[in-house]
Amino acid sequence: DRIEQADPVVRRGGGFGHGPADLLVGGEVSIAADSTRRSGLFLRADVRVPTGTKNQWPYAWESLDGGAGIELRRGARPIDMRLSLAGNLAGSRVVEDERRHENSALVAATVGIEPVPGSSVRLAVFGQFFRFGGSRRVYLLDLGAHPTDQIELRLCAGLDAGAEKDRVFESLLQFYLVFRFPLPPPPVQGADPSP
């Protein structure tokens, strides 16, 4: 019974549940940065679109959420460092239930290295502070491969700390694919726009 409560997504009464997770959409705008975007100040925005059902918690919340904040980057090969601060608004707030979901502030710090070209190792620490008290601390180790500028393959291991009622998971191991849509090329000065 304790295992089922700690890991409700993977195991339910001796079985496994499968289904879609929420769709996460994010973007960033450079406020002041170098041409490589490794150093500078950025404005970030993220939206969680509810495409899954609550029985897939914590991968789905049935809540349209949004957040925005700033990110400071300092990159000098082979080390990258990032610090960000964001506010998150929960569309469907849950304060009393064991699966807390409410407005919060998120503070994150990341240090990454590139041992060889096309690869990365990152250590990240996140702190989530809920509006009505309580907090989470998450520690992640992330290994990545970048075959192209638009595609990333990542393997991530993590631990969730804090009070039991505030944790989303005890530990995790996940694999994911990141695709970045390429930006259109800037217009050429003096070029004729007609085909």
Side-chain angles (χ1 to χ4, degrees):
D1 187 42
R2 181 68 186 92
I3 293 176
E4 292 177 16
Q5 290 177 359
D7 198 1
V9 172
V10 176
R11 185 176 308 217
R12 291 180 180 277
F16 293 89
H18 301 276
D22 286 344
L23 177 64
L24 303 176
V25 181
E28 63 182 37
V29 175
S30 168
I31 297 173
D34 61 13
S35 60
T36 65
R37 300 176 69 87
R38 289 178 62 121
S39 296
L41 187 63
F42 297 83
L43 177 65
R44 295 187 54 88
D46 297 282
V47 176
R48 176 191 286 266
V49 181
T51 54
T53 61
K54 274 188 179 177
N55 65 355
Q56 294 303 113
W57 179 90
Y59 302 105
W61 291 90
E62 292 184 349
S63 174
L64 178 62
D65 303 338
I70 57 172
E71 180 176 299
L72 177 64
R73 300 179 188 171
R74 179 70 178 113
R77 295 200 187 276
I79 298 175
D80 279 318
M81 293 181 290
R82 297 184 181 193
L83 179 64
S84 65
L85 173 64
N88 297 303
L89 299 178
S92 299
R93 296 176 182 85
V94 179
V95 180
E96 300 299 330
D97 189 54
E98 65 180 12
R99 299 177 183 178
R100 179 194 296 261
H101 190 62
E102 61 178 286
N103 297 347
S104 62
L106 184 68
V107 179
T110 305
V111 176
I113 61 170
E114 295 181 4
V116 295
S119 69
S120 65
V121 177
R122 292 191 306 201
L123 176 62
V125 179
F126 296 83
Q128 185 177 19
F129 304 92
F130 298 107
R131 180 178 179 188
F132 295 108
S135 64
R136 295 174 58 209
R137 293 174 308 283
V138 179
Y139 306 93
L140 300 172
L141 177 62
D142 186 275
L143 309 175
H146 319 275
T148 71
D149 289 340
Q150 280 77 42
I151 295 175
E152 289 185 35
L153 304 172
R154 311 206 70 88
L155 179 66
C156 180
L159 295 172
D160 195 344
E164 184 174 357
K165 68 183 180 67
D166 295 329
R167 293 196 297 261
V168 173
F169 56 86
E170 304 293 329
S171 60
L172 69 80
L173 181 65
Q174 63 184 14
F175 172 79
Y176 55 99
L177 169 69
V178 178
F179 179 78
R180 292 186 176 86
F181 292 96
L183 295 174
V188 177
Q189 293 287 340
D192 183 4
S194 62

